[in-house]
Amino acid sequence: MELLIKGSTELNKMFMALQRTASGLRRDFGEVENLQQSLRGARDFVQKASQRIEESILSDLRLVRPAAGLLTSNVSLSGDGRDEFVLALSGASNFVRANPHFAISLALRSNDETKIALVYSPIDERLYYAEAGMGTYVYSAFHSARVRVSNLVNPDDLMIAYNTDNIVSSFGDVRSTGCPALDLAWVASGKLDAFVSRPLDFAEIAAGDLLVREAGGKIEMGADLIATNGKVEL
């Protein structure tokens, strides 16, 4: 097997599964753009698209680890009790409005630890990925590059993304993007200095958690989810 990205054969097989699924998702996105006069129709369509992601990728993932379970926002399939794939469509509300800022989040966990993480933006075909102990990378236009969290600490210089009902910040620049998986990937790659969110479905953040930690960042999951470059105190 010819490896597309730096990493294990399993990582590359998972990426290939994402690519196949994403091609259908891009077609779905084109249909959503034609449904904007009916928001309810668009929501129903995106919900069905999300279900198709789960169905289409499952057979591919079974080839990676046949005995693994599957956890999504909608489905939990038991496996061998050791390995589990965790899958989510992050930014679905953006997808509904034909906003291209959404991503597929996919993680492989073994014995309750995330070993492989991928966050893939189907529209611009950009992949953020990591394997435990190997660092975090971004892949685009057939090129992989290692990424790391930012080193900014001055409050006036910081850019922080929020996924909360009330944003109160004394920091420099605030964003709310609507796609937590990409927010975590952007913390990992230094595009954001921190991300603060209300509690989220684990399926949506499992991959991003490893991306941040492998890039040198820090993530805490308490009353709020807080991911930072490890230098910022929120």
Side-chain angles (χ1 to χ4, degrees), residues 128 135-138 145-149 185 188-190 214-215:
Y128 296 89
T136 299
Y137 292 81
V138 60
R146 188 163 186 176
V147 295
R148 293 175 175 82
V149 295
S189 58
E214 283 294 320

Side-chain angles (χ1 to χ4, degrees), residues 24-66:
L25 200 58
R26 285 191 287 272
R27 290 193 297 271
D28 290 337
F29 184 72
E31 291 297 322
V32 168
E33 290 187 301
N34 298 324
L35 292 171
Q36 289 308 295
Q37 298 305 314
S38 171
L39 195 56
R40 179 176 178 180
R43 286 195 183 102
D44 291 343
F45 184 85
V46 171
Q47 177 63 31
K48 291 177 182 177
S50 180
Q51 293 171 354
R52 284 197 298 274
I53 290 173
E54 296 170 4
E55 294 167 0
S56 66
I57 205 171
L58 180 58
S59 58
D60 284 336
L61 294 179
R62 292 296 192 195
L63 296 176
V64 179
R65 291 204 182 179

Side-chain angles (χ1 to χ4, degrees), residues 6 8 22 38 46 105 114 118 120 129 143 152 165 181 185 193 224:
K6 296 178 180 179
S8 67
S38 171
V46 171
S105 174
T114 302
L118 306 96
Y120 187 52
Y129 66 95
H143 175 70
L152 300 179
D165 295 328
D193 304 299
D224 288 325

Side-chain angles (χ1 to χ4, degrees), residues 85-126:
F85 291 104
V86 184
L87 174 71
L89 175 62
S90 183
S93 59
N94 288 339
F95 193 172
V96 167
R97 298 304 301 269
N99 178 333
H101 193 72
F102 62 92
I104 308 171
S105 174
L106 176 61
L108 172 60
R109 289 172 57 80
S110 295
N111 298 319
D112 296 324
E113 293 186 1
T114 302
K115 300 298 185 181
I116 299 177
L118 306 96
V119 172
Y120 187 52
S121 173
I123 303 305
D124 65 7
E125 299 183 63
R126 186 179 300 271

Side-chain angles (χ1 to χ4, degrees), residues 63-83:
L63 296 176
V64 179
R65 291 204 182 179
L70 177 69
L71 175 67
T72 77
S73 299
N74 305 306
V75 176
S76 178
L77 299 177
S78 59
D80 58 10
R82 184 191 68 180
D83 299 325

Side-chain angles (χ1 to χ4, degrees), residues 127-233:
L127 172 74
Y128 296 89
Y129 66 95
E131 289 189 271
M134 301 298 290
T136 299
Y137 292 81
V138 60
Y139 174 83
S140 180
F142 307 103
H143 175 70
S144 283
R146 188 163 186 176
V147 295
R148 293 175 175 82
V149 295
S150 73
N151 59 7
L152 300 179
V153 294
N154 187 332
D156 292 336
D157 296 333
L158 301 179
M159 181 176 288
I160 300 176
Y162 283 83
N163 182 47
T164 58
D165 295 328
N166 298 306
I167 299 175
V168 179
S169 176
S170 58
F171 296 99
D173 208 347
V174 170
R175 293 287 186 271
S176 181
T177 75
C179 184
L182 281 176
D183 286 335
L184 290 170
W186 284 7
V187 171
S189 58
K191 298 177 186 294
L192 294 170
D193 304 299
F195 171 58
V196 180
S197 174
R198 61 181 179 273
L200 292 164
D201 191 305
F202 182 70
E204 192 166 11
I205 60 174
D209 172 42
L210 184 63
L211 295 181
V212 170
R213 289 188 286 108
E214 283 294 320
K218 183 178 178 182
I219 186 164
E220 299 176 356
M221 300 182 194
D224 288 325
L225 182 151
I226 301 175
T228 73
N229 61 9
K231 305 168 184 67
V232 176
E233 294 293 335

